Amino acid sequence: MKETEYRNENVRHSVMLDIDKCKGCTNCIKRCPTEAIRVRNGHAQIENKLCIDCGECIRTCPYKAKKATYDKFDDFADYKYKIALPAPALYGQFEELTDMDYLLTALIEYGFDEVFEVARAAEIASDYTRRFLEENTDFPRPVISSACPVIARLIAIRYPLLRDQVLPVLAPIEIAARLARKEALEKHPELSDEDICVLFISPCPAKISYVRSPLGIGKSAVDGALSISDLYFKLRSKINAIKEPYVNSKSGIIGVSWASTGGEAKALFNDKYLAADGIENVIKVLDEIDNGNIRNVDFVELNACSGGCVGGVLNIENPYIAKARLQTLRRYLPVSMNRDKLGSEKYDWEEEIAYEHAGGLASDRKEAMQKMRDIEAIWSSLPQIDCGSCGAPSCRALAEDIVKGSARMENCVIVMKNRLAQFCRKHSEIDPDELGFSDTLGETAPDKEN
């Protein structure tokens, strides 16, 4: 089995392609929000500089040729003390779960020494964000949440002018890791920081990539990222065997609600918010913000997955069922059990989001302008139906590929069909209509060699 893991100089991606399983079906190229995928030589190819690890290709591929790489629990066997960071979405995966304490106890039974709920850190992040918005009235509005790594990387690639509007506050996963380490060292003075291993249990590949290449900081306090789907059945058997849980949850409604769309925004107690999920809807909202069409909104929460984190591709359960289960679990919880302790800690970003330049047409402005004109000319000669049969997501993308030298006009099946029809009329007595080569879309421009 030939597998390819994609990475660039800035990001270590978790999305991986199994070339042997890929049939070159083009389903993935139509769903990729950054047009990072092409189908060439019979299989998909991912442009690593454009990949944002959203998982849409994993969700779309009917042959399971795309999947996320993640760590295994056994990889960290040498650490003396292992801390689990369960994502709030994990609670919604278990049908029989009526008390979160059972799941937390199951994690200890599985082999972890301690559990620190990311939902606890989410409540602290909400408290911290509320104060940030109150104290920084001059920060450009609307403020865009940075909790979903996909959104931050999408902005870095496609919306560089919106980088100044991204909330410069650490994600709950990072806050949880720092607090978990601090608590472990206070409870066990015999341990050193090197003895402690903090492992996040992730619902999506984007958060796994975050652990490897964090946003806003140089190095994450999280040592590794496990998959919810990988642990699900192991934890379920542990839960069923527990008679009485001995680990108590320390999170409330606010923290658990972060697992689904609107949970983060509602926790700010500010009605001037907008919450959207699903990558297509996210792009529409960002387009509107970029064009200055969204006003009188203080905060925008965007989730790449439909339903929020419960919709991540590394989950087991249907996101809407998981969301319903979370509503049941929250019924008897307090509103919140965690506060920021009046600014005793700092959770600000240490560095800004950098513009992730995916590679222009040319370094020379004059040359780049000429190539843009070439792209327009080639695009105007293409059928402009964006069928994807050429292996590019759109006719304009194919035109750009032709100018860059990575594709030819013959990649377009309609262009090729028309040329065959012209050849038959010129050099053969065979009627091209009999071969199915009728020229229905008119003449095409001559090929542009690069």
Side-chain angles (χ1 to χ4, degrees), residues 266-295:
K266 291 176 183 177
L268 301 180
F269 307 137
N270 183 339
D271 292 335
K272 293 182 178 181
Y273 74 84
L274 183 156
D277 59 22
I279 196 66
E280 293 93 347
N281 295 327
V282 162
I283 290 174
K284 290 178 182 178
V285 171
L286 289 175
D287 284 340
E288 292 297 304
I289 297 175
D290 201 30
N291 293 328
N293 295 331
I294 293 183
R295 303 179 181 88

Side-chain angles (χ1 to χ4, degrees), residues 251-392:
S251 56
I253 293 174
I254 287 179
V256 174
S257 297
W258 271 61
S260 51
T261 304
E264 178 186 4
K266 291 176 183 177
L268 301 180
F269 307 137
N270 183 339
D271 292 335
K272 293 182 178 181
Y273 74 84
L274 183 156
D277 59 22
I279 196 66
E280 293 93 347
N281 295 327
V282 162
I283 290 174
K284 290 178 182 178
V285 171
L286 289 175
D287 284 340
E288 292 297 304
I289 297 175
D290 201 30
N291 293 328
N293 295 331
I294 293 183
R295 303 179 181 88
N296 299 318
V297 173
D298 287 337
F299 188 80
V300 174
E301 174 194 335
L302 300 175
N303 294 279
C305 298
S306 297
C309 289
V310 291
V313 296
L314 296 182
N315 289 315
I316 290 292
E317 191 54 86
N318 176 285
Y320 300 102
I321 294 176
K323 184 176 180 179
R325 290 175 181 167
L326 290 174
Q327 291 174 344
T328 302
L329 284 171
R330 294 181 311 182
R331 187 174 301 170
Y332 301 108
L333 294 178
V335 174
S336 178
M337 297 178 67
N338 302 273
R339 298 292 302 275
D340 180 37
K341 298 181 181 179
L342 300 177
S344 60
E345 300 286 347
K346 288 290 185 182
Y347 301 118
D348 301 316
W349 278 2
E350 299 167 2
E351 54 190 45
E352 298 179 352
I353 294 181
Y355 172 44
E356 297 184 11
H357 186 53
L361 296 174
S363 57
D364 180 72
R365 183 187 179 105
K366 184 177 180 180
E367 183 183 352
M369 293 296 291
Q370 180 58 51
K371 288 189 175 183
M372 288 180 65
R373 288 190 287 269
D374 292 342
I375 290 173
E376 288 297 322
I378 293 173
W379 176 73
S380 64
S381 69
L382 292 171
Q384 300 176 23
I385 59 175
D386 299 339
C387 66
S389 298
C390 62

